[in-house]
Amino acid sequence: MTHILDGPTTRDHAFWIARSVARKLGLDLTAALADGRLTASGYAQLVARCETCPVAGACQRWLGEPSLPAGAQPVAGCANAEDFAALAR
């Protein structure tokens, strides 16, 4: 059984949450880095916000949903929602 954290998490765990949320939204953070839409410091900030985000547990549950409707958004209160939206443009 996977343990879901409902508060601050580790940096490694936050890295995977940020990457997984982006992927579920149809974003490729590696490609965004390669084409200059995302900087290394911007990526680090995404991860840092996930690390201390109070809705990290909700994000993990959301990630466990088998499918999302077109145009789905991250969970309410996502600390990176605006950044994900900007990368999607």
Side-chain angles (χ1 to χ4, degrees), residues 10-84:
T10 66
R11 179 65 50 109
D12 287 344
H13 194 206
F15 169 81
W16 290 110
I17 291 172
R19 249 183 114 72
S20 298
V21 169
R23 185 177 57 245
K24 191 117 180 185
L25 293 171
L27 302 170
D28 182 337
L29 297 180
T30 302
L33 277 168
D35 66 22
R37 290 180 295 128
L38 180 63
T39 64
S41 66
Y43 201 154
Q45 289 170 4
L46 284 172
V47 173
R49 283 191 294 271
C50 276
E51 187 175 12
T52 59
C53 185
V55 298
C59 280
Q60 291 177 89
R61 286 185 285 279
W62 177 83
L63 286 166
E65 294 294 320
S67 63
L68 295 174
Q73 300 297 311
V75 299
C78 173
N80 289 312
E82 289 181 18
D83 293 286
F84 290 138

